[in-house]
């Protein structure tokens, strides 16, 4: 049953995790209710796996599942299906993000109109403004109103960004010397928490279902979990500035920057990189991450590849082994990550 | 300095021509064999795309020929190709291969950039000379494309098994050795003539009915490199199928290297044909795969085989919408994702099954008087520009 206000369904997958705050604020400003498809569940994954081609990566299948879940509802006026081509200059997200609205439109025969809009900021923020105006139009808002809503949404977004990256104090370079006297903290507690950096796409890491509860498990194992968002953007930029050529995937660039940063400053004890089976960008970025960390002194590194068949038990075993290995190394005198000053 | 570059079908003929003409010591990597693939696979990321792995094998084998420098295309995304060079450099450095990787970024509307980069590689040859050499190399590519177009038909009609292959190999060699544009042209003419006489000449076997024609679409490397696509065209030829390839080497150069001067006019047509199914560039050849499939249906071909490397992002997008294209147009389309693990027997079985399906479909159309055997058949054929050498 449709209410008075326009209701727009937002699939809680892919770009949602990074950008939902902007979308929701934008729709809110336009007086439109954004309704998500809810957390990922087995049923949603099954729905997606049933509709996507086998060769697609899990996040794409999960996206299909969320859209199908939205299509089952009869209280929506639109389903929001942004084509996220680029969110910053000279960069892209992933070719599959560029094609997904078509993949959905062609395969799922939606009853509800799709609100697909192309967001391409590879040549500047004009692309975002155009997208806002276009969405506004479809929702019956004028250009001024849409741009106003966008301004508010982006303001909120920037505040959020400024807050992240301050959550952790700046990571200072540890003394370059290695060995039993290299820890430098002096007053280490008996069983110090391990600092682990989790790398991966937000739609994997922030989705407890597809990530198989990675973050929770790490916490249970006594680890302090870091993510890319914990580093000030400036340090990330600095860390990646030395690369010979521009890395053009937004997420891959942040992942590699964070890896370089922690490998240089030794501020964590290890890296856990979560990738989807068959992920194109990560197949190369992951390789660079491993080589970077190896080159800079061999930080413990765990690559976790997940797909729809991965099980939590297997993940847990690997995490335990990884954490044990780091603790043993520590006990044997290897320096720990500096981590946080208490 | 001794220079090399990755293989991709017959591209090496053009590239070596350009650089030799500019006085650079350049060698093409040895032809791709099982060993090349094994070497590449061993040292590349497991989930990297197949072309990257084979390229790494190329470099390592070229190193055995005393090569110390690699010229590799760069890119600006969105697909992996644009980042290949960086990863390959890391891999080679990690192996202590002692090879320098020179990245040639695509000109992006500024052809001068690529010219200057090539000029630097040649120790500062004047741009005008670089441009002349490029045109010389280009003329060979054009000849190769021209003769390649005759190959599929000859292959199906050849009276003596393997003769087409031999003629083509010899023509490639002649074109490669040609020392002028005119000579290259003459070699091309000869080859075209020889191939035509195979498909038309005395003793040309006339298979039962007009042969099936199948369009090949997909990722460029898989289309152009027989060592990567399991010799797909040859296999189909042996099954009596004439193949039409959506992209040739010159198309690829036009698409990726010099979108300016040689921009293909067909690009817009292909994109328009793809639009109902895929309405945005997705990197690589994703849109071309979809658009060409639609166009091949309109031309009256019997079906399309879509090939891509496993995990290829643009082709996964294309493969996601192609089933709907096939349903809408009632047109058989088969997707093959291939990599180093693909088994020959499995591919052969799938090809045979697909060809069977096309034969039955042809038969059905014949009985019902629809399709290309209906009243408009001749007109359709002309429109398709297929030539009418068959016995339709
Ligand atoms: S970035 Fe990787 S995981 Fe994400 S959609 Fe692309 S291929 Fe899939
Ligand atoms: S188009 Fe396919 S094969 Fe080419 S770089 Fe992209 S993913 Fe790899």
């Amino acid at each position: 049953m449709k209410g008075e206000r326009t209701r727009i369904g937002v699939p809680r997958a892919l770009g949602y995790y990074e950008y939902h705050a902007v979308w929701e604020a934008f729709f809110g400003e336009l007086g439109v209710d954004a309704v998500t498809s809810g957390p990922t569940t087995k049923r949603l994954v099954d729905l997606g796996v049933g509709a996507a081609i086998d060769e697609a990566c899990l996040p794409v299948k999960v996206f299909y599942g969320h859209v199908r879940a939205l299509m089952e509802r009869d209280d929506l006026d639109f389903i929001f299906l942004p084509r996220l081509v680029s969110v910053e200059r000279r960069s892209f997200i992933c070719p599959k993000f560029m094609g997904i609205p078509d993949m959905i439109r062609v395969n799922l025969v939606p009853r509800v109109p799709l609100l697909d809009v192309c967001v391409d900021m590879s040549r500047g923020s004009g692309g975002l403004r155009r997208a806002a105006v276009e969405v506004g139009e479809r929702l019956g808002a004028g250009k001024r109103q849409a741009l106003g809503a966008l301004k508010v949404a982006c303001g909120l977004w920037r505040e959020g960004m400024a807050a992240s990256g301050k959550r952790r104090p700046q990571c200072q370079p540890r003394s370059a010397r290695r060995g039993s006297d290299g820890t430098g903290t002096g007053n280490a507690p008996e069983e110090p928490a391990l600092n682990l950096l989790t790398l991966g796409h937000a739609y994997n890491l922030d989705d407890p279902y597809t990530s198989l509860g990675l973050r929770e498990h790490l916490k249970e194992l006594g680890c302090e979990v870091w993510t890319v968002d914990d580093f000030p953007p400036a340090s990330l930029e600095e860390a990646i500035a030395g690369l010979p050529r521009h890395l053009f995937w937004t997420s891959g660039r942040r992942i590699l920057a964070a890896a370089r940063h922690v490998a240089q400053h030794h501020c964590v004890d290890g890296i856990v990189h979560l990738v989807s089976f068959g992920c194109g960008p990560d197949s190369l970025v992951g390789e660079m991450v491993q080589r970077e960390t190896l080159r800079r002194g061999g930080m413990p590194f765990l690559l976790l590849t997940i797909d729809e068949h991965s099980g939590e038990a297997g993940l847990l075993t690997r995490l335990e082994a990884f954490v044990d290995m780091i603790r043993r190394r520590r006990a044997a005198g290897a320096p720990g990550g500096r981590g946080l000053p208490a | 300095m001794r220079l090399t570059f990755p293989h991709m079908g017959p591209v090496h003929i053009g590239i070596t021509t350009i650089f030799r003409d500019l006085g650079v010591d350049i060698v093409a990597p040895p032809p791709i064999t099982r060993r090349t693939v094994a070497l590449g696979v061993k040292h590349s990321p497991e989930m990297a795309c197949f072309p990257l792995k084979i390229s790494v094998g190329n470099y390592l084998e070229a190193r055995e020929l005393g090569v110390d420098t690699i010229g590799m295309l760069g890119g600006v995304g969105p697909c992996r190709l644009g980042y290949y060079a960086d990863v390959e450099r890391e891999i080679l450095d990690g192996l202590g291969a002692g090879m320098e990787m020179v990245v040639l970024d695509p000109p992006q509307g500024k052809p001068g950039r690529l010219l200057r980069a090539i000029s630097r590689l040649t120790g500062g040859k004047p741009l005008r000379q670089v441009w002349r050499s490029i045109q010389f190399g280009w003329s060979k590519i054009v000849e190769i494309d021209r003769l390649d177009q005759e190959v599929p038909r000859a292959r199906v009609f050849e009276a003596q098994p393997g003769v087409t292959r031999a003629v083509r190999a010899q023509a490639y060699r002649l074109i490669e050795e040609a020392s002028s544009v005119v000579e290259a042209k003459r070699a091309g003419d000869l080859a075209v003539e020889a191939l035509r006489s195979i498909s038309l000449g005395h003793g040309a076997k006339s298979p039962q009915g007009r042969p099936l024609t199948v369009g090949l679409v997909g990722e460029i490397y898989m289309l152009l490199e027989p060592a990567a696509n399991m010799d797909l065209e040859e296999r189909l030829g042996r099954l009596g199928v004439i193949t039409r390839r959506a992209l040739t080497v010159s198309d690829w150069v036009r698409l990726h290297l010099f979108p300016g001067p040689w921009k293909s006019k067909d690009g817009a047509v292909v994109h328009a044909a793809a639009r109902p199914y895929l309405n945005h560039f997705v990197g690589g050849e994703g849109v071309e795969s979809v658009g060409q499939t639609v166009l091949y249906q309109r031309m009256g071909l019997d079906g399309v085989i879509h090939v891509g490397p496993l995990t290829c992002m643009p082709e996964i997008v294309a493969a996601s919408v192609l089933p709907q294209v096939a349903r809408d147009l009632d047109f058989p389309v088969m997707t093959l994702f291939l990599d180093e693990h693909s088994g020959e027997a499995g591919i052969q079985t799938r090809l045979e099954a697909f060809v069977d399906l096309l034969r039955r479909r042809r038969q059905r159309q014949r009985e019902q008087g629809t399709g290309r055997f209906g009243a408009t058949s001749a007109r359709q054929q002309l429109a398709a520009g297929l030539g009418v050498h068959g016995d339709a």
Side-chain angles (χ1 to χ4, degrees):
Chain A
M1 252 166 303
K2 289 183 183 174
E4 310 261 287
R5 284 160 68 101
T6 306
R7 289 166 67 85
I8 183 161
V10 180
R12 188 159 157 178
L14 292 183
Y16 172 88
Y17 286 95
E18 229 140 337
Y19 307 110
H20 70 96
V22 184
W23 300 344
E24 280 158 8
F26 177 76
F27 289 133
E29 283 295 308
L30 293 181
V32 171
D33 289 333
V35 185
T36 79
S37 44
T40 308
T41 58
K42 173 153 192 339
R43 192 182 85 88
L44 291 201
V45 175
D46 288 345
L47 277 178
V49 169
I53 62 168
D54 279 351
E55 286 81 3
C57 52
L58 179 59
V60 162
K61 291 174 179 164
V62 169
F63 189 84
Y64 271 68
H66 280 271
V67 175
R68 285 186 78 181
L70 289 173
M71 287 177 178
E72 288 171 352
R73 304 172 59 137
D74 53 11
D75 60 343
L76 298 175
D77 301 290
F78 290 100
I79 292 176
F80 186 49
L81 221 57
R83 193 191 300 271
L84 297 176
V85 173
S86 163
V87 293
E88 55 181 345
R89 269 183 190 278
R90 297 171 62 211
S91 293
F92 298 93
I93 298 186
C94 166
K96 292 182 195 164
F97 273 67
M98 300 162 83
I100 200 135
D102 292 309
M103 292 154 73
I104 294 289
R105 177 171 55 85
V106 165
N107 284 296
L108 298 185
V109 201
R111 286 172 300 150
V112 185
L114 298 179
L115 190 55
D116 55 340
V117 62
C118 182
V119 180
D120 182 357
M121 298 166 70
S122 59
R123 297 214 180 108
S125 55
L128 182 61
R129 283 196 295 276
R130 271 193 300 280
V133 171
E134 198 184 321
V135 172
E137 235 167 54
R138 300 270 305 266
L139 295 174
K143 190 172 169 182
R144 291 250 317 254
Q145 200 189 351
L147 289 178
L150 179 68
K151 203 165 165 192
V152 174
C154 288
L156 287 174
W157 163 257
R158 265 192 294 275
E159 269 169 41
M161 284 297 272
S164 77
K166 277 197 195 123
R167 251 179 286 154
R168 308 274 188 186
Q170 184 102 19
C171 187
Q172 297 295 335
R174 188 175 59 85
S175 98
R177 275 168 56 207
R178 310 206 53 205
S180 55
D181 59 343
T183 55
T185 50
N187 51 355
E190 312 83 78
E191 181 75 316
L194 293 184
N195 291 295
L196 290 185
L197 171 64
T198 51
L199 293 177
H201 297 282
Y203 44 82
N204 280 333
L205 287 176
D206 295 347
D207 182 336
Y209 187 89
T210 50
S211 68
L212 304 164
L214 171 67
R215 218 166 259 167
E216 286 313 307
H217 288 313
L218 284 176
K219 283 184 190 149
E220 280 158 19
L221 291 171
C223 300
E224 185 75 28
V225 179
W226 295 50
T227 71
V228 177
D229 289 330
D230 293 327
F231 302 98
S235 349
L236 294 182
E237 275 311 314
E238 187 192 314
I240 200 132
L243 284 185
R245 291 176 71 242
H246 176 66
L247 173 50
F248 48 75
W249 294 303
T250 294
S251 168
R253 199 171 138 80
R254 281 165 61 78
I255 288 172
L256 187 55
R260 281 170 70 102
H261 182 76
V262 300
Q264 190 173 2
H265 299 305
H266 289 267
C267 43
V268 297
D269 299 286
I271 298 178
V272 177
H273 190 184
L274 185 73
V275 305
S276 306
F277 181 82
C279 172
D282 280 357
S283 69
L284 301 188
V285 172
E287 180 76 10
M288 295 301 251
V289 166
Q290 290 196 39
R291 287 177 182 271
E292 285 288 342
T293 47
L294 217 73
R295 179 160 46 219
R296 294 174 192 237
M299 174 161 300
F301 181 88
L302 177 66
L303 179 74
L304 292 173
T305 307
I306 45 167
D307 64 12
E308 56 270 39
H309 309 297
S310 305
E312 208 159 329
L315 175 94
L316 203 50
T317 315
R318 294 196 59 197
L319 289 182
E320 280 168 359
F322 183 64
V323 168
D324 273 356
M325 183 268 288
I326 299 177
R327 288 201 198 281
R328 272 203 311 279
R329 265 174 57 128
R330 275 251 211 131
R338 243 183 17 86
L340 314 175
Chain B
M1 175 187 87
R2 176 168 282 190
L3 184 67
T4 197
F5 52 90
H7 266 303
M8 182 167 80
V11 172
H12 64 275
I13 296 178
I15 299 178
T16 49
T17 299
I18 295 172
F19 285 94
R20 278 205 189 115
D21 201 44
L22 290 166
V24 175
D25 180 9
I26 186 167
V27 287
I32 300 168
T33 60
R34 262 172 225 273
R35 175 174 183 261
T36 321
V37 176
L39 264 177
V41 166
K42 181 168 164 209
H43 297 293
S44 306
E46 193 189 341
M47 285 292 144
C49 24
F50 199 27
L52 182 144
K53 296 180 184 175
I54 302 181
S55 305
V56 169
N58 284 157
Y59 304 148
L60 293 174
E61 287 188 331
R63 186 168 171 272
E64 295 162 5
L65 304 177
V67 160
D68 53 19
T69 311
I70 298 162
M72 172 62 190
L73 214 57
V76 294
C79 211
R80 280 184 268 187
L81 176 66
Y83 200 54
Y84 273 17
D86 300 78
V87 178
E88 291 170 350
R89 178 189 285 134
E90 282 285 326
I91 294 172
L92 294 172
D93 286 356
L95 288 171
M99 298 170 93
E100 201 200 331
M101 173 80 68
V102 180
V103 184
L104 301 171
D105 275 306
Q108 286 202 67
K110 299 187 197 108
R113 271 211 346 216
L114 187 58
L115 291 194
R116 272 192 293 279
I118 293 177
S119 160
R120 268 196 300 281
L121 255 179
T122 61
K125 288 268 159 41
L127 291 189
R128 183 173 315 184
Q129 195 179 339
V130 171
W131 179 238
R132 252 205 326 270
S133 300
I134 289 181
Q135 282 178 315
F136 182 27
W138 172 251
S139 74
K140 294 194 177 183
I141 293 294
V142 170
E143 291 311 316
I144 283 178
D145 278 356
R146 204 155 64 89
L147 83 89
D148 266 0
Q149 269 175 19
E150 304 292 332
V151 168
R153 172 166 290 274
R155 200 153 34 202
V156 168
F157 282 101
E158 67 187 9
Q160 206 186 329
V163 64
T164 306
R165 208 186 174 107
V167 167
R168 182 175 65 171
Q170 201 194 349
Y172 274 15
R173 210 167 40 245
L174 281 178
I175 292 177
E176 189 170 4
E177 286 163 5
S179 55
S180 69
V181 176
V182 178
E183 230 174 83
K185 174 91 171 40
R186 200 177 307 134
D189 285 344
L190 271 174
V192 168
E193 208 173 297
L195 291 166
R196 285 208 177 135
S197 72
I198 291 177
S199 44
L200 295 173
H202 288 300
K205 78 173 184 250
S206 49
Q208 295 268 302
R210 190 171 49 86
L212 294 168
T213 307
V214 166
L216 301 179
V217 306
E219 191 272 333
I220 184 75
Y221 191 93
M222 299 308 273
L223 283 182
L224 291 182
E225 184 50 67
N229 68 23
M230 303 210 141
D231 225 349
L232 189 59
E233 293 195 60
E234 194 73 34
R235 267 173 211 279
L236 285 165
R238 281 201 294 271
L239 294 174
V241 174
I242 296 180
T243 49
R244 301 248 287 169
R245 203 179 336 109
L247 289 165
T248 63
V249 182
S250 55
D251 290 334
W252 183 78
V253 173
R254 285 197 185 102
L255 269 173
H256 293 278
L257 288 191
F258 294 100
W262 290 315
K263 193 179 177 70
S264 96
K265 293 183 199 70
D266 314 335
V269 178
V270 177
H271 283 236
R275 195 158 300 134
Y277 302 97
L278 186 52
N279 193 11
H280 198 282
F281 175 64
V282 292
E285 287 75 41
V287 176
E288 281 78 13
S289 296
V290 176
Q292 282 287 357
T293 300
V294 173
L295 292 178
Y296 279 151
Q297 189 273 341
R298 287 189 200 152
M299 290 178 186
L301 266 60
D302 293 284
V304 155
I305 296 178
H306 170 225
V307 278
L310 195 72
T311 78
C312 174
M313 300 178 278
E315 301 310 332
I316 284 177
V317 173
S320 300
V321 301
L322 279 174
Q324 192 58 40
V325 177
R327 274 192 293 274
D328 285 356
L329 304 179
D330 186 21
F331 185 58
V333 179
M334 172 169 77
T335 292
L336 290 176
F337 280 115
L338 302 172
D339 71 355
E340 66 270 19
H341 303 298
S342 311
E344 261 180 54
I347 298 300
Q348 186 64 26
T349 315
R350 290 191 60 190
L351 291 179
E352 283 169 14
F354 188 66
V355 170
D356 253 9
L357 178 133
L358 299 188
R359 287 233 158 80
R360 283 199 305 275
R361 181 170 176 271
R362 181 65 91 66
Q363 183 67 31
R364 218 171 43 239
Q365 289 177 340
R366 199 190 305 252
E367 283 159 13
Q368 296 167 353
T370 55
R372 293 185 49 199
F373 293 90
T376 56
S377 142
R379 251 215 330 270
Q380 276 187 354
Q381 277 190 13
L382 277 179
L386 279 176
V388 280
H389 310 306
D391 57 348

